[in-house]
Amino acid sequence: MAPVLWVFLGGGLGTAARYGVQLLLGEPGQSFDTAIFAVNVAGAFGLGAIQPWLKRMSAAQSGFIGPGFFGGFTTYSALMVSPVVTARAGDVSGSITYFLVSLAAGLVAAWLGIALTKSRHRG
């Protein structure tokens, strides 16, 4: 199967996984969208954790996991839309807080994923 088809398949699975988390944690549109926050932080951690292996994988494998699964699982568009919707509803401070906390948590999660994998590779 061509690598782009593996990306497509991984993206479908990642999107289905995100939808499952959204069903478990609540509907979008809340002032703090817990589901989108959770998938973005978990996705940042997961993608960070697999970094050492991505370069050693085939194009099909890395495409399935990286831009495929994690690309479908996480959602940049919802990260951008949620603060706008919240601000338009009158909660500007909540909007800014959600955006900044999401960015900071994503950065920390990616860093932790990379650090955890590197520490396990050394041992």
Side-chain angles (χ1 to χ4, degrees):
M1 187 174 353
V4 72
L5 294 177
W6 285 106
V7 173
F8 179 77
L9 180 60
L13 291 173
T15 301
R18 174 173 23 105
Y19 183 68
V21 172
Q22 286 177 299
L23 290 176
L24 288 171
L25 296 181
E27 294 298 317
Q30 305 164 15
S31 60
F32 189 90
D33 195 336
T34 307
I36 297 302
F37 180 80
V39 298
N40 285 336
V41 173
F45 178 84
L47 194 55
I50 65 165
Q51 286 303 304
W53 293 287
L54 284 177
K55 292 180 182 175
R56 293 185 289 204
M57 292 180 182
S58 70
Q61 291 169 324
S62 65
F64 176 83
I65 294 171
F69 181 82
F70 283 110
F73 184 63
T74 60
T75 174
Y76 184 77
S77 58
L79 173 62
M80 294 298 108
V81 169
S82 292
V84 171
V85 169
T86 303
R88 291 180 116 187
D91 188 4
V92 175
S93 65
S95 170
I96 293 168
T97 300
Y98 178 83
F99 180 74
L100 294 176
V101 168
S102 292
L103 286 178
L107 286 170
V108 169
W111 180 82
L112 286 172
I114 292 168
L116 177 67
T117 304
K118 281 186 177 182
S119 72
R120 294 210 173 245
H121 265 328
R122 288 186 202 137

